[in-house]
Amino acid sequence: MQLRLKVLILAVAPLLLAIAAVAAVVRIESRALAEAELAAVEPVLVAARKAELQHYVELALGALTHLHNQGDDAAARTAALATLAKLDYGRDGYFFVYDMGGRNLMHPRQPELVGQDLWNLRDPQGTPTIQRLVAQAKAGGGFVEFMWQRPSTGRLERKLGYVALEPKWGWMVGTGIYLDDLAEARARIDREASRAINATLGVIAGIAVIAALLVAVGGLALNLSDQRDAEARMRALAHQVVRSQETERARVARELHDGVSQWLVSVKYMFESVQVRLEALKHDDLAPVAESLARGITRLNEVLREIRRISHGLRPALLDDLGLAPALSQIVNEFGSRTQITAQCDADRDIALPEAVATALFRVVQEALTNIERHAGAHTVRVALSSADGGVRLRVSDDGKGFDLDEVHEHPRGGLGLSSMRERVETLGGRFDLRSGPEGTTIEALLPESALRP
């Protein structure tokens, strides 16, 4: 895993973990708060509904007061029952009336019960329903929880009722609410609390995503900035290394040419002087010595040529004295003479190049010719140097057998010369292209105008 990816993960992961922990705490605390609110609201809601039921019954009994003083008691009772039958509130809100013996006198939602004796009516648990209601009414009124059929659903449900005694006619008058309504209210509150919690968690998740993206973008920008700085420093370092190499090459070339070569020339002259004297003596015993001396002078000439070749390869004098184009022409001609390969150089002599650029292009051609000599098996080589869009283009092509780029890169020591050429060109801000196949190999280096500035 790359270092920048590790740094990004180390930056984002703690942030996400912290936000996840905050979200978990918010969810737990919000749920606890919702439960506490429900626990606090439910008793208040029940008390409010109880007060409402008691108020309803008191209003109903008050509505009957004006009928107490009518002369016809039977008509008054009938009118009272009709009045109570009309006093309903909602589909499941109604009044019911029983006498003290448990006979139903009025039930607007279940008229089939009117007139029936329900004293012994019991719920599924065996609890006497009407007896409890009558007993509570006789005791001065109050609340009773019982099971009764709900008109809107037809199901038997828990009901909270309030009953009171009608003193004039001895009736039990009551009403009630089904407790499932309270449960539904509690569930509604719980759903709203859950929705609010989920909305809060959604906001936290959005903040987490935005924060992670900001951190990622910031880290990416920092990485890119650091990468650009590092690449710039690497290019500068590579350029400095190349310049140091060229400086050292030039120094060694001068030492070989001006120092070692001159000493060897002096020694050669001394040997040649001795050879002339020996030849002048015309002594038969000295013939083997003269022959050995001649072989030594021949070997010494070979050493001088090799030293000149090495010195020229390290740093050709033409490159410093006349420029890149003559230096290229010289090494191409020497390459053709040495290898018997047809070599052609087409270099524009009017191109003015900084020292670093000229040196880099010279080394590219030098390395390319070395590779062609060792591996290509070519018959023809062409080197071209020309202007291109304000910059300079160098092209080295041959008609050799080519090679497989992937195979060269996979080899442990393969492609070092190619990498060196590429690095020299790219260090100067140029582009290096390499194409190879059965028809031959072409190397092209293109340096922009900016690279030609001193």
Side-chain angles (χ1 to χ4, degrees), residues 382-427:
R382 185 172 184 271
V383 177
L385 178 69
S386 60
S387 300
D389 299 329
V392 63
R393 176 185 284 110
L394 173 69
R395 179 177 295 168
V396 182
S397 58
D398 67 75
D399 60 353
K401 60 185 178 181
F403 57 91
D404 187 348
L405 290 174
D406 296 334
E407 183 178 349
V408 170
H409 291 316
E410 289 176 359
H411 195 274
R413 295 184 58 83
L416 293 179
L418 297 176
S419 299
S420 175
M421 288 188 282
R422 182 182 299 276
E423 289 176 0
R424 285 180 180 274
V425 173
E426 292 181 351
T427 298

Side-chain angles (χ1 to χ4, degrees), residues 23-47:
V25 172
V26 168
R27 183 178 183 85
I28 293 172
E29 293 299 325
S30 299
R31 176 53 58 187
L33 179 60
E35 293 294 337
E37 289 179 349
L38 286 173
V41 168
E42 189 170 13
V44 176
L45 184 60
V46 172

Side-chain angles (χ1 to χ4, degrees), residues 41-281:
V41 168
E42 189 170 13
V44 176
L45 184 60
V46 172
R49 299 308 296 270
K50 284 184 175 181
E52 184 179 1
L53 291 178
Q54 183 177 359
H55 185 60
Y56 283 162
V57 173
E58 291 174 354
L59 287 176
L61 293 177
L64 304 181
T65 304
H66 71 284
L67 299 175
H68 288 169
N69 298 324
Q70 289 188 2
D72 188 348
D73 188 65
R77 292 187 181 203
T78 302
L81 293 175
T83 300
L84 293 175
K86 295 178 182 178
L87 296 177
D88 59 4
Y89 45 96
R91 290 178 16 176
D92 298 323
Y94 57 89
F95 288 91
F96 53 82
V97 181
Y98 290 84
D99 62 18
M100 293 297 101
R103 184 169 61 91
N104 184 274
L105 301 178
M106 188 273 296
H107 201 297
R109 296 294 186 271
Q110 294 175 283
E112 69 276 7
L113 298 180
V114 177
Q116 293 188 25
D117 185 358
L118 302 178
W119 181 259
N120 294 319
L121 179 67
R122 297 177 181 270
D123 61 19
Q125 285 75 34
T127 304
T129 302
I130 305 303
Q131 292 180 25
R132 293 176 60 221
L133 293 173
V134 172
Q136 188 64 45
K138 289 181 178 179
F143 296 96
V144 180
E145 187 174 331
F146 60 96
M147 302 293 294
W148 198 263
Q149 180 180 341
R150 185 167 186 161
S152 60
T153 62
R155 296 195 306 265
L156 199 64
E157 298 181 9
R158 291 170 56 244
K159 187 173 184 179
L160 177 64
Y162 182 82
V163 295
L165 183 64
E166 205 292 318
K168 173 67 176 178
W169 296 303
W171 294 343
M172 177 196 67
V173 178
T175 187
I177 59 170
Y178 290 91
L179 295 178
D180 284 353
D181 291 341
L182 295 176
E184 176 61 26
R186 187 181 189 282
R188 187 164 56 251
I189 295 174
D190 187 66
R191 285 195 301 270
E192 291 297 323
S194 298
R195 186 191 62 78
I197 293 172
N198 292 333
T200 303
L201 293 179
V203 172
I204 294 176
I207 294 174
V209 171
I210 294 174
L213 288 176
L214 290 177
V215 171
V217 171
L220 180 60
L222 181 61
N223 284 334
L224 291 177
S225 176
D226 290 344
Q227 182 180 4
R228 285 194 296 268
D229 293 342
E231 290 176 351
R233 288 193 294 269
M234 287 296 294
R235 284 195 296 269
L237 180 60
H239 187 61
Q240 182 178 357
V241 170
V242 170
R243 293 190 63 178
S244 299
Q245 290 176 345
E246 293 300 328
T247 302
E248 185 64 16
R249 283 170 177 260
R251 187 189 68 80
V252 174
R254 286 194 302 271
E255 292 292 337
L256 289 174
H257 184 272
D258 300 335
V260 176
S261 180
Q262 298 300 324
W263 280 103
L264 289 175
V265 169
S266 299
V267 172
K268 175 188 173 185
Y269 287 157
M270 293 174 64
F271 283 176
E272 289 176 345
S273 176
V274 173
Q275 185 182 29
V276 170
R277 290 184 181 182
L278 288 176
E279 290 176 351
L281 292 175

Side-chain angles (χ1 to χ4, degrees), residues 376 398 400-405 408 418 433-443:
D398 67 75
K401 60 185 178 181
F403 57 91
D404 187 348
L405 290 174
V408 170
L418 297 176
D433 293 326
L434 173 63
R435 299 183 297 276
S436 185
E439 297 79 12
T441 302
T442 299
I443 293 174

